[in-house]
Amino acid sequence: MTETIPQLTSYDAPAFEAAFATLADEVRQQSAALTTPEAQENFRLHWLGRKQGRLKLISDAWLKSAPPEARKPLGMRFNQLKQQIEQALEAPTAATATTSAAVQGIDITLPGLTRHPGIPHPLLETMHEVVRVFHHLGYSTNLGPQVESDFYNFEALNFPPNHPARDTQDTLQIAGQQARPSRDRLLMRTHTSPVQIRTMIAQAPPVRIVIPGKVHRNDAADATHSPIFHQIEGLCVDTDITFSDLKGTLDHAMKALFGSAVKTRFFPSFFPFTEPSADVQISCIFCGGTGCRKCKHSGWIELLGCGMVDPAVFASVTEERRKINPDDDAYNPEKISGFAFGMGVERIAMMLHGVSDIGHFYSGDMRFLEQFA
Ligand code: DAH
């Protein structure tokens, strides 16, 4: 494009002032339309282009042939116009910001990515809820290995080798262990109770711990069983711990989890590592205790096992502790006593959320999991 410039009729001030005012107006109007980089570039060439730019033409036509006394005021107006043009080029428009970002690979005009914030798995969330109740009672948390030795999983918990109580907790044995003494043979732990032993060997009373974790059993999968599931164990050992403490603690925990209207009752039961042992039932949370299909019309639902720690367990712990300190007497049952309990996480989660098939927890089906978001 050949650029044209206004003709300057004379070099007196009113004449060139009028000519510069026209030019300044032009710049103002054009700079309002600089919405794209192309428009900016055209504008730059139009005014500042080295050969045909308007400023070059003005400088050639007006400045060079001006009489000496007019050069200074002319030059000042010329520089003002140049500044005005440069400022218009410096101020980036929203559109130019966008497009220059696009040049760097980010197009901020595209719709944003939808981020799906993660949520804890409902089983993890249930574990946290239970653990939180006990944290408020002053308990801390312990964890233990899933691959456990026969000693911790069975022997120290008063399941002697070949004892029939082991049949209820059949599990996967780690291969190639036959050469080892039976107490050292490895297996997938069948419950979280071995961490009771690990804790007491490591720590003198008072002990107040909860132990959440994964356990394994040779159980066929059905709507309420899975060969891999989760438990939360509890252990409290101190001076003068009684069965009343056990009842009060679990009654509080069940009310905290299922609501203050829930009642508990304790039924005699058997576990090798507690004496006496009990099964804890809670009043049915679905019918309030009047009887429904969920509670098999009994009004009660069995939820966990518990009992007073058997002195045989304290004896196994003491034997291990004495390998380190022969005088150890921290778990002398004449001086201390304790209670323990164990509950299934899946069962509690199923009750809390009305889930009827345990398999949903492991399916990874987003339609199931999204309901907990
Ligand atoms: N370990 C038992 C099981 O898996 C559950 C249990 C019952 C744990 C009574 C305890 C307890 O600590 O006192 O069947």
Side-chain angles (χ1 to χ4, degrees):
M1 192 204 320
T2 314
E3 300 289 352
T4 54
I5 51 163
Q7 292 305 307
L8 203 57
T9 45
S10 88
Y11 280 105
D12 60 19
F16 70 72
E17 280 297 338
F20 272 110
T22 313
L23 292 167
D25 256 4
E26 261 183 59
V27 169
R28 209 168 300 118
Q29 276 175 22
Q30 291 174 12
S31 57
L34 298 184
T35 52
T36 65
E38 296 79 51
Q40 265 191 332
E41 181 58 11
N42 287 339
F43 174 82
R44 193 187 64 75
L45 283 174
H46 179 64
W47 289 98
L48 305 178
R50 248 196 273 146
K51 286 187 184 146
Q52 288 296 313
R54 307 203 86 193
L55 285 193
K56 167 84 165 72
L57 299 180
I58 290 164
S59 150
D60 285 350
W62 300 0
L63 284 178
K64 285 192 180 144
S65 52
E69 68 281 4
R71 281 205 184 143
K72 196 172 171 201
L74 256 182
M76 277 167 59
R77 286 304 271 114
F78 183 86
N79 283 337
Q80 276 175 6
L81 184 69
K82 194 173 173 197
Q83 264 180 16
Q84 191 190 350
I85 293 161
E86 283 167 352
Q87 275 167 11
L89 280 169
E90 269 164 27
T93 61
T96 58
T98 306
T99 329
S100 58
V103 169
Q104 292 158 27
I106 309 160
D107 183 351
I108 62 169
T109 64
L110 287 173
L113 293 175
T114 313
R115 290 188 194 280
H116 297 285
I119 52 142
H121 189 279
L123 289 179
L124 259 188
E125 183 59 30
T126 304
M127 282 206 238
H128 288 156
E129 275 174 40
V130 176
V131 164
R132 202 177 304 133
V133 168
F134 285 95
H135 280 181
H136 284 140
L137 294 173
Y139 284 62
S140 41
T141 305
N142 258 10
L143 301 173
Q146 286 179 54
V147 178
E148 188 53 283
S149 73
D150 187 280
F151 174 74
Y152 288 109
N153 196 81
F154 290 124
E155 246 183 87
L157 288 161
N158 204 23
F159 291 79
N162 302 318
H163 192 281
R166 289 192 175 210
D167 293 350
T168 62
Q169 302 201 7
D170 188 18
T171 189
L172 291 171
Q173 312 282 324
I174 306 298
Q177 307 273 307
Q178 287 80 354
R180 294 182 143 188
S182 78
R183 64 171 267 154
D184 294 337
R185 291 184 195 162
L186 299 176
L187 42 82
M188 302 309 291
R189 71 177 177 194
T190 58
H191 50 176
T192 41
S193 306
V195 191
Q196 289 188 27
I197 307 297
R198 291 181 172 276
T199 304
M200 289 189 279
I201 290 174
Q203 174 190 338
V207 169
R208 279 175 181 78
I209 48 152
V210 276
I211 304 144
K214 193 170 282 187
V215 301
H216 300 69
R217 289 208 194 157
N218 181 16
D219 281 345
D222 62 23
T224 54
H225 292 86
S226 157
I228 302 173
F229 61 105
H230 301 81
Q231 288 188 333
I232 296 174
E233 189 83 13
L235 175 68
C236 167
V237 184
D238 205 340
T239 49
D240 300 324
I241 298 293
T242 68
F243 201 90
S244 304
D245 297 313
L246 169 59
K247 286 185 78 172
T249 303
L250 290 181
D251 186 71
H252 166 81
M254 294 304 115
K255 286 182 163 66
L257 283 172
F258 295 104
S260 56
V262 153
K263 296 194 201 78
T264 53
R265 65 179 189 178
F266 291 68
F267 262 60
S269 184
F270 172 76
F271 300 101
F273 41 91
T274 45
E275 183 59 35
S277 304
D279 283 331
V280 183
Q281 302 180 346
I282 63 167
S283 53
C284 179
I285 59 166
F286 302 104
C287 64
T290 54
C292 66
R293 260 183 51 197
K294 300 259 186 179
C295 60
K296 300 197 183 91
H297 301 282
S298 71
W300 295 91
I301 292 179
E302 196 170 303
L303 214 55
L304 69 149
C306 65
M308 301 305 290
V309 179
D310 193 305
V313 172
F314 289 139
S316 304
V317 167
T318 300
E319 204 181 311
E320 292 305 301
R321 288 175 62 94
R322 286 193 177 157
K323 290 180 183 169
I324 298 155
N325 172 12
D327 301 326
D328 182 82
D329 202 32
Y331 286 92
N332 180 347
E334 302 287 314
K335 296 184 189 164
I336 50 91
S337 53
F339 63 73
F341 55 86
M343 58 187 103
V345 176
E346 279 77 352
R347 196 162 157 69
I348 294 173
M350 286 168 84
M351 286 189 52
L352 285 174
H353 301 294
V355 175
S356 54
D357 190 332
I358 199 171
H360 287 308
F361 290 123
Y362 317 117
S363 67
D365 188 333
M366 289 301 285
R367 292 168 303 176
F368 173 74
L369 295 173
E370 269 169 1
Q371 298 178 61
F372 298 90

